[in-house]
Amino acid sequence: MAKIILSKISTQPPKNADKKATIKKTEELAEKIGLMSEMMYAEKKNSLLVVLQGMDASGKDGVAKSVFMNCPALCIDAYAFKKPTEMEFAHDFLWRIHDKVPAKGQIKLFIRSHYEDILVQRVHQWIDDQKAVARLEAINHFEKLLLEDNDTTILKFYLHISHERQMEKLEERKTNPALQWKYKATDFDESKLWDKYMRYYEAAINGSDLKWHIVPSDMRWYRNYFVANIVHDTLNNLKPAFPLLLDAGKD
Amino acid sequence: MAKIILSKISTQPPKNADKKATIKKTEELAEKIGLMSEMMYAEKKNSLLVVLQGMDASGKDGVAKSVFMNCPALCIDAYAFKKPTEMEFAHDFLWRIHDKVPAKGQIKLFIRSHYEDILVQRVHQWIDDQKAVARLEAINHFEKLLLEDNDTTILKFYLHISHERQMEKLEERKTNPALQWKYKATDFDESKLWDKYMRYYEAAINGSDLKWHIVPSDMRWYRNYFVANIVHDTLNNLKPAFPLLLDAGKD
């Protein structure tokens, strides 16, 4: 795989993208994704793990909401991984993650994930480079286990937003009443560490055995479409179908 | 490490071993193990995972009882892994195992373990050789994670019993009222697959990155001593101690 350099990848929609048509297409894709999630749940053959990573305000919650809004709650779970609890810290970093991986038939969304343990922890030097490298290797082995031992498809998305656009969106959280619950003063401190985050994101992405999708995320409408498209195609390739009674109608 | 051939290793105590003195030593070791488990719990620095594997009637429960009988319940947990549940089967084979690994400060006993997934499953050809090899590799990576990311010491014991002695002990379960609850007719069917089990035990033991201890297990008293001795030395090397208030007594 060619090495990914984030600064060389656009955070904007393609020039010719039509906002209104794109939103409509996303809604159509979300409906199909919802139907296929029910089929997968009924079939219990495959499972899907969706990892959403990105800087603050890059739109992880937004993607989780819009792309999967037609999936019945029985077929999907979303986990927003936060600062580990005392008991989680008393275990290896993958302990709390492994607990939440999908069973056959399920879709699980990870809003932040095991990758934080080689991102935020590395940026703040809570772990050294050697530990980060060992953890990345452990992550690759872990993802291989999910794939090989349980047929779990893993989709990893990096929501790629510009630093300027992030600042705008963080400011918006101060004023928009529907977003004020997300406001945290410390997000502005983290934002100052932007270059370090980019460096370690690139190390994580380029050191991964499984592909990362880099999602142009400055515009919500295009970001959602981009992810929906990949999720749709991935589920479609698994060819989910409601299991039928083979002998039905023979009486 | 030299390749282990089980048929070349004795299942009997050494000729000069003194039964009465050995039982007394085991009790002394168990007391020290109990005290050190409390120190570890107080300290929350290290953790210990003890894997007990062996054929039916080899004495896994017996070891768990006699070696760890002085460990307070707060400091230790034992899990006897059985046939996976439907939900466990719907995940990778390490999912239910990872959930039970020790937090810092804890001792966990696994009576049967992740190794069953390359033993019983292989003997009955529920998995093929390729899958068994992939799983052994996954186990090595998993144990490395526990060791490197959480300072977990892993002790693996194979309770080595002769086929003849197993038959005696299985028969004893029919007549001894304190053991009848362990009687299962299917154990006799499994016993007929002895040679296959030995072959796959050797593959598991020789393919492990972390050392296995082969415990001569025909005699309960020697088996318990052998394990107690290793557990004691291992804990002792971790040098557990009750944390002290550094400034106590200064007032």
Side-chain angles (χ1 to χ4, degrees):
Chain A
M1 269 185 286
K3 210 176 159 217
I4 279 172
I5 301 166
L6 290 172
S7 60
K8 300 211 167 158
I9 299 175
S10 174
T11 56
Q12 291 286 330
K15 289 247 155 55
N16 58 349
D18 175 328
K19 181 174 174 181
K20 215 173 140 186
T22 300
I23 290 174
K24 192 162 178 295
K25 272 195 277 181
T26 306
E27 285 168 359
E28 287 163 7
L29 289 167
E31 263 184 52
K32 290 185 191 165
I33 289 168
L35 178 62
M36 288 193 283
S37 77
E38 287 191 73
M39 290 168 167
M40 265 183 61
Y41 182 80
E43 214 172 29
K44 304 230 178 322
K45 219 172 69 182
N46 298 109
S47 57
L48 177 67
L49 173 58
V50 178
V51 172
L52 297 171
Q53 284 284 162
M55 298 295 284
D56 291 319
S58 60
K60 299 178 288 294
D61 292 357
V63 165
K65 180 175 161 185
S66 69
V67 175
F68 300 94
M69 77 183 329
N70 295 92
C71 298
L74 198 59
C75 313
I76 194 165
D77 272 314
Y79 299 96
F81 289 98
K82 306 286 183 187
K83 184 170 177 285
T85 63
E86 195 177 339
M87 189 44 105
E88 288 168 351
F89 257 131
H91 287 86
D92 69 90
F93 79 105
L94 290 172
W95 182 71
R96 66 176 186 155
I97 304 293
H98 206 164
D99 181 51
K100 300 283 187 268
V101 300
K104 285 196 160 72
Q106 292 180 330
I107 298 177
K108 296 275 180 106
L109 307 183
F110 284 2
I111 296 166
R112 302 189 187 277
S113 68
H114 39 306
Y115 282 94
E116 287 298 324
D117 295 291
I118 52 171
L119 290 166
V120 61
Q121 293 213 26
R122 200 172 183 189
V123 166
H124 291 279
Q125 294 179 291
W126 299 327
I127 60 167
D128 61 17
D129 285 354
Q130 199 191 339
K131 184 98 169 183
V133 168
R135 283 188 168 178
L136 183 52
E137 200 188 317
I139 288 174
N140 282 330
H141 293 145
F142 172 67
E143 293 180 351
K144 191 176 176 216
L145 170 73
L146 302 184
L147 176 65
E148 291 190 354
D149 208 71
N150 207 40
D151 301 315
T152 302
T153 301
I154 304 176
L155 281 177
K156 299 192 283 193
F157 295 101
Y158 171 68
L159 305 188
H160 187 36
I161 192 175
S162 67
H163 199 176
E164 299 68 36
R165 181 68 176 129
Q166 185 205 36
M167 293 307 290
E168 274 174 35
K169 288 178 85 178
L170 289 179
E171 287 295 334
E172 192 189 346
R173 290 182 176 180
K174 287 187 191 167
T175 48
N176 183 337
L179 292 176
Q180 285 185 5
W181 66 282
K182 294 194 166 200
Y183 175 78
K184 274 198 312 197
T186 52
D187 286 352
F188 289 90
D189 299 329
E190 288 302 295
S191 179
K192 286 178 193 142
L193 300 167
W194 189 271
D195 292 346
K196 266 189 150 184
Y197 270 107
M198 288 306 110
R199 186 157 74 235
Y200 295 135
Y201 257 116
E202 281 177 0
I205 290 168
N206 290 312
S208 278
D209 289 344
L210 296 182
K211 182 188 172 72
W212 277 88
H213 299 277
I214 313 299
V215 184
S217 297
D218 276 5
M219 294 298 130
R220 293 177 174 99
W221 56 272
Y222 186 71
R223 174 199 73 198
N224 293 347
Y225 167 72
F226 192 100
V227 174
N229 207 26
I230 292 168
V231 171
H232 172 271
D233 288 357
T234 302
L235 289 178
N236 205 38
N237 282 339
L238 295 174
K239 302 193 198 316
F242 289 116
L244 301 177
L245 295 175
L246 289 176
D247 294 326
K250 280 201 180 164
D251 289 332
Chain B
M1 271 186 281
K3 210 176 159 215
I4 279 172
I5 302 167
L6 290 172
S7 59
K8 300 211 167 157
I9 299 175
S10 174
T11 57
Q12 291 287 330
K15 289 244 156 55
N16 58 350
D18 175 329
K19 181 172 173 182
K20 215 174 137 184
T22 301
I23 289 174
K24 193 164 177 296
K25 272 195 278 180
T26 306
E27 286 168 0
E28 288 164 9
L29 289 168
E31 263 185 51
K32 289 185 191 164
I33 289 167
L35 178 61
M36 288 193 284
S37 78
E38 286 191 73
M39 290 167 166
M40 264 182 61
Y41 182 80
E43 214 172 28
K44 303 226 179 329
K45 221 172 69 184
N46 298 110
S47 57
L48 177 66
L49 173 59
V50 178
V51 172
L52 297 171
Q53 284 285 160
M55 299 295 284
D56 292 320
S58 60
K60 300 179 288 294
D61 292 359
V63 165
K65 181 176 162 186
S66 68
V67 176
F68 300 95
M69 78 184 327
N70 295 94
C71 299
L74 198 59
C75 313
I76 194 164
D77 272 313
Y79 298 97
F81 288 97
K82 306 286 184 189
K83 184 170 178 285
T85 63
E86 195 177 340
M87 190 44 106
E88 288 168 351
F89 257 131
H91 286 86
D92 68 273
F93 78 105
L94 290 172
W95 182 70
R96 65 176 186 156
I97 304 293
H98 206 165
D99 181 49
K100 300 285 188 266
V101 300
K104 285 197 159 73
Q106 292 179 330
I107 299 178
K108 296 275 181 105
L109 308 184
F110 284 3
I111 297 167
R112 302 191 188 276
S113 67
H114 39 306
Y115 282 95
E116 288 297 326
D117 296 291
I118 51 171
L119 289 166
V120 62
Q121 294 214 25
R122 202 173 181 189
V123 166
H124 292 280
Q125 294 179 290
W126 298 327
I127 60 168
D128 61 18
D129 285 354
Q130 199 191 340
K131 184 98 169 183
V133 169
R135 283 188 168 178
L136 184 53
E137 200 188 316
I139 288 174
N140 282 330
H141 293 145
F142 172 66
E143 293 181 351
K144 189 176 178 217
L145 170 72
L146 302 185
L147 176 65
E148 290 190 353
D149 208 71
N150 207 40
D151 300 314
T152 302
T153 300
I154 304 177
L155 281 177
K156 299 191 284 193
F157 295 101
Y158 171 68
L159 305 187
H160 187 37
I161 192 174
S162 68
H163 199 177
E164 299 69 35
R165 181 67 177 129
Q166 186 206 34
M167 293 308 290
E168 274 173 37
K169 291 178 82 178
L170 289 179
E171 287 295 332
E172 192 188 348
R173 290 183 176 178
K174 287 187 189 166
T175 49
N176 183 337
L179 292 176
Q180 285 185 5
W181 65 281
K182 291 194 166 200
Y183 174 78
K184 274 197 310 194
T186 52
D187 287 352
F188 289 89
D189 299 329
E190 287 301 296
S191 180
K192 288 178 193 143
L193 301 166
W194 189 271
D195 292 346
K196 267 190 150 181
Y197 270 107
M198 289 307 109
R199 186 157 73 235
Y200 295 136
Y201 257 115
E202 281 176 0
I205 289 168
N206 291 312
S208 277
D209 289 343
L210 295 182
K211 182 188 172 70
W212 277 88
H213 299 277
I214 313 300
V215 184
S217 297
D218 276 4
M219 295 298 131
R220 293 179 173 97
W221 55 273
Y222 187 72
R223 175 199 72 198
N224 293 346
Y225 167 72
F226 192 100
V227 174
N229 207 26
I230 291 167
V231 171
H232 171 271
D233 289 358
T234 303
L235 288 178
N236 204 39
N237 282 340
L238 296 174
K239 302 192 198 317
F242 289 117
L244 300 176
L245 294 175
L246 288 176
D247 293 328
K250 280 201 179 164
D251 289 334

